Amino acid sequence: MNRGSSNNKTQATPLPPSEYIATIEHAVRKADAEKLLGWFEQITRFPAVMWGSSIIGYGRYHYVYDSGRSGDSLMTGFSPRKASLSVYIMPGYHELDDYLQRLGKHKIGKSCLYINRLDDIDMDVLEEIVRHGVAYLQNHYQTWPS
């Protein structure tokens, strides 16, 4: 490991995402996760990879902070959490106000969209958001398929 690198808490794992999705008890979260599994692969053209115990990620990028700390993370992905569906938009919402206004019912965190169910949002707008985030990372960071 290079000096300045750190092990992220969330690492890619060998568990197939479909096996994780099969364990989801919440019917809406499970159905939405099944839909998003292939949807993200189609949009990003990256294979689905489990990150940690509950995040399904697509693509990977390498970051280096001003402090010298560096690491790898997923480019985009989702997690069907109990409270809501979390969609990861890396590196956040840079220039996304217009998209978010058109998306539909959601809440935002630092790099997450929180959605109760996919039926609450416009999937075409979500596609625009995901594509924008992936393109931004590809233009500013070293990236590769998971």
Side-chain angles (χ1 to χ4, degrees), residues 99-101 103-108 113-116 120-121:
Y99 299 108
L100 294 172
Q101 290 176 9
L103 180 62
K105 187 177 175 181
H106 70 279
K107 294 180 182 180
I108 60 172
L113 286 172
Y114 300 106
I115 301 164
N116 191 38
D120 291 341
I121 63 164

Side-chain angles (χ1 to χ4, degrees), residues 10 40 51 54-58 73-81 85-93 110-114 126 129-130 133-134 137:
T10 306
F40 266 97
W51 285 74
S54 63
I55 299 173
I56 300 170
Y58 299 82
S73 186
L74 59 123
M75 291 176 70
T76 190
F78 68 96
S79 181
R81 308 226 185 245
L85 183 66
S86 299
V87 178
Y88 296 92
I89 305 299
M90 306 301 201
Y93 304 103
K110 186 174 180 181
S111 293
C112 289
L113 286 172
Y114 300 106
L126 182 61
I129 291 170
V130 169
V134 169
L137 291 172

Side-chain angles (χ1 to χ4, degrees), residues 6 8 10-11 51 60-63 70-74 142 144:
S6 66
N8 293 338
T10 306
Q11 297 284 325
W51 285 74
R60 183 184 299 241
Y61 76 102
H62 183 75
Y63 60 85
S70 65
D72 296 335
S73 186
L74 59 123
Q142 177 184 4
W144 58 95

Side-chain angles (χ1 to χ4, degrees), residues 26-102:
H26 190 287
V28 172
R29 297 282 177 272
K30 186 174 189 171
D32 284 350
E34 288 170 343
K35 179 176 181 178
L36 287 177
L37 183 64
W39 184 88
F40 266 97
E41 284 187 353
Q42 180 182 351
I43 299 304
T44 67
R45 300 191 187 240
F46 298 132
V49 173
M50 288 300 301
W51 285 74
S53 62
S54 63
I55 299 173
I56 300 170
Y58 299 82
R60 183 184 299 241
Y61 76 102
H62 183 75
Y63 60 85
V64 179
Y65 293 133
D66 291 339
S67 66
R69 180 174 180 258
S70 65
D72 296 335
S73 186
L74 59 123
M75 291 176 70
T76 190
F78 68 96
S79 181
R81 308 226 185 245
K82 287 184 182 180
S84 63
L85 183 66
S86 299
V87 178
Y88 296 92
I89 305 299
M90 306 301 201
Y93 304 103
H94 179 59
E95 300 177 1
L96 293 180
D97 288 341
D98 176 59
Y99 299 108
L100 294 172
Q101 290 176 9
R102 296 183 293 118

